[in-house]
Amino acid sequence: KAQFEHYYGEAVRKQYGLDKVDQFWPLVADPATGETYDDVMSGFIYENAQTYLCSLYLFDQFGLSLPASTVEEVDTYIAGLCENYASGSKSEFNAMLSNYGVSMKILRELYLIDEKVDYLENYLFGPGGTLGVTKIDKENYYQQNYVRMRQICFFINECPEYDEKGNPVLDKDGYTKYRDMTTAETQEARARAADALKSINSGADFLDVSKEYDENPTDDIYAGGIYMSKDSAMGTDAALEKIYNELQAMEVGQIKLIETENNLHIVEKLELDEGAYDKTANTDFFTFYDPELGAITTFESYLKEPLFLEYIAESLEKYSAEVKIDEELLNKYKLSTVEANYYY
């Protein structure tokens, strides 16, 4: 709930003309079913709960146990929270936690559950794991989630600043500085893009046209083209996401003009070549940002989570007949009934 309010709360409040974000939850999300946004968002929590329960069951079935050092880290962390928020008073800290329906004991158990799920994931798919990330796993994910393209770029609305020698001007942090383009400059850029696209459609070689027209030479180092997925480090901002979605719908060999906020892109969709993720030249395209680590991680490390979730989903299907859900009790637990927890 805290994440939702932090990232979308103000936008949602304005969109629906609400006085406060909490008025959003009872609104109807699906008129056909009568489901409210509270029902829909709480449903995601229920799905996560099933994943956790299945993971804990498998953790026990495999005879796993957390290292003593991990348990000690959790206890130290909980004690630190108590010290920071309640000056070390357990009774005061428990009173704070009661606003979220938990106690120190329950909070500790929740953190240990997280650790158990992580431990199980690594036990199965981490380095030396019982299942591991195989070559087939990597190729399947790559073929299902990646696109490959080359492009010719034109600046519109804003463009890099250049010095008298034609070199990009950098700011104090070492990034290229941009300036607003005039309406005439943007119109000229659109005309150049139209000419380039006309040349390609008339039979000119894409790479030859690129050499003549492309305004973004940073792509030149990628002789094999650009690889993108929705989560890779090279495909996560709004412009790249738009290009990725367009490419997903295109056929191999198709050429299309795509407009983003400050660029025109003439893109050609290329066929995926087998094993591209193992080539050193493609390293930039097969890295991912891990928010928990606050660092870039490798393709193989990234694949642990989707493979793990797929494994859990298959296990849930396998054990579904044995799972009994108390729907009446479950319906008492809704996101709307708890405070947004920004702290623990």
Side-chain angles (χ1 to χ4, degrees):
K1 185 175 182 179
Q3 287 180 328
F4 175 84
E5 290 191 359
H6 176 74
Y7 290 108
Y8 308 110
E10 187 60 20
V12 164
R13 189 189 65 77
K14 290 181 179 179
Q15 180 181 345
Y16 291 96
L18 307 175
D19 294 325
K20 53 184 180 179
V21 179
D22 274 348
Q23 294 173 328
F24 166 75
W25 301 106
L27 298 180
V28 174
D30 186 347
T33 63
E35 277 192 313
T36 65
Y37 285 105
D38 196 13
D39 296 326
V40 174
M41 300 294 285
S42 296
F44 297 143
I45 305 300
Y46 303 156
E47 290 175 9
N48 287 340
Q50 291 184 64
T51 297
Y52 274 85
L53 288 171
C54 185
S55 298
L56 293 175
Y57 174 77
L58 293 172
F59 187 92
D60 291 338
Q61 288 295 106
F62 290 131
L64 304 178
S65 60
L66 289 175
S69 58
T70 300
V71 176
E72 184 178 344
E73 287 174 4
V74 169
D75 287 336
T76 300
Y77 182 72
I78 298 295
L81 291 175
C82 182
E83 182 63 35
N84 292 333
Y85 289 103
S87 300
S89 170
K90 292 183 179 180
S91 59
E92 185 178 338
F93 191 41
N94 276 318
M96 293 177 181
L97 293 174
S98 67
N99 292 320
Y100 309 107
V102 298
S103 62
M104 282 185 68
K105 182 178 180 181
I106 294 174
L107 185 64
R108 177 180 185 271
E109 185 60 28
L110 291 173
Y111 276 102
L112 289 175
I113 286 173
D114 270 341
E115 294 294 344
K116 287 179 179 179
V117 175
D118 288 343
Y119 192 89
L120 176 64
E121 181 180 307
N122 279 297
Y123 171 78
L124 294 171
F125 296 103
T130 58
L131 298 177
V133 178
T134 68
K135 173 78 173 180
I136 294 175
D137 291 330
K138 290 193 282 188
E139 187 65 27
N140 284 343
Y141 185 88
Y142 164 62
Q143 292 290 340
Q144 293 167 13
N145 295 277
Y146 269 83
V147 292
R148 179 185 173 211
M149 64 98 167
R150 52 190 174 194
Q151 65 174 341
I152 303 171
C153 285
F154 302 84
F155 292 106
I156 56 173
N157 304 322
E158 68 173 31
C159 64
E161 288 187 27
Y162 296 96
D163 61 22
E164 62 277 3
K165 295 182 179 179
N167 299 315
V169 177
L170 305 181
D171 63 20
K172 60 183 179 62
D173 297 316
Y175 295 103
T176 300
K177 294 182 68 173
Y178 285 80
R179 66 168 179 84
D180 291 336
M181 296 171 62
T182 66
T183 301
E185 287 175 325
T186 291
Q187 289 175 340
E188 290 172 6
R190 292 186 183 280
R192 288 196 304 274
D195 288 342
L197 186 59
K198 183 178 179 180
S199 294
I200 295 170
N201 289 336
S202 298
D205 181 75
F206 191 97
L207 292 178
D208 289 339
V209 176
S210 179
K211 290 175 183 176
E212 181 179 352
Y213 286 93
D214 187 40
E215 298 177 1
N216 184 20
T218 56
D219 291 348
D220 294 348
I221 61 172
Y222 304 120
I226 296 171
Y227 300 79
M228 301 171 66
S229 80
K230 64 181 178 63
D231 292 327
S232 69
M234 291 294 289
T236 51
D237 69 21
L240 291 173
E241 184 177 352
K242 180 177 182 178
I243 295 171
Y244 172 79
N245 290 333
E246 293 277 4
L247 285 164
Q248 283 281 69
M250 291 167 60
E251 299 293 331
V252 171
Q254 184 178 348
I255 295 170
K256 187 173 185 178
L257 177 65
I258 301 172
E259 181 171 339
T260 55
E261 184 178 3
N262 294 310
N263 291 99
L264 298 173
H265 310 259
I266 298 176
V267 302
E268 179 183 13
K269 185 171 182 176
L270 305 175
E271 187 173 9
L272 291 173
D273 49 331
E274 184 178 341
Y277 41 81
D278 283 334
K279 298 176 182 176
T280 303
N282 297 331
T283 300
D284 288 347
F285 307 116
F286 295 93
T287 55
F288 301 81
Y289 180 73
D290 186 327
E292 290 187 9
L293 297 176
I296 296 295
T297 188
T298 65
F299 185 49
E300 186 164 329
S301 294
Y302 170 81
L303 284 184
K304 286 192 306 179
E305 183 172 341
L307 289 173
F308 177 68
L309 292 176
E310 182 180 345
Y311 179 87
I312 294 298
E314 291 172 354
S315 298
L316 280 169
E317 184 68 25
K318 177 181 176 182
Y319 299 120
S320 60
E322 303 173 36
V323 177
K324 300 294 185 290
I325 300 176
D326 188 330
E327 297 288 353
E328 184 178 350
L329 181 62
L330 191 63
N331 283 329
K332 294 180 180 179
Y333 296 95
K334 299 282 191 179
L335 280 178
S336 61
T337 64
V338 297
E339 292 187 28
N341 178 6
Y342 289 91
Y343 311 105
Y344 325 113

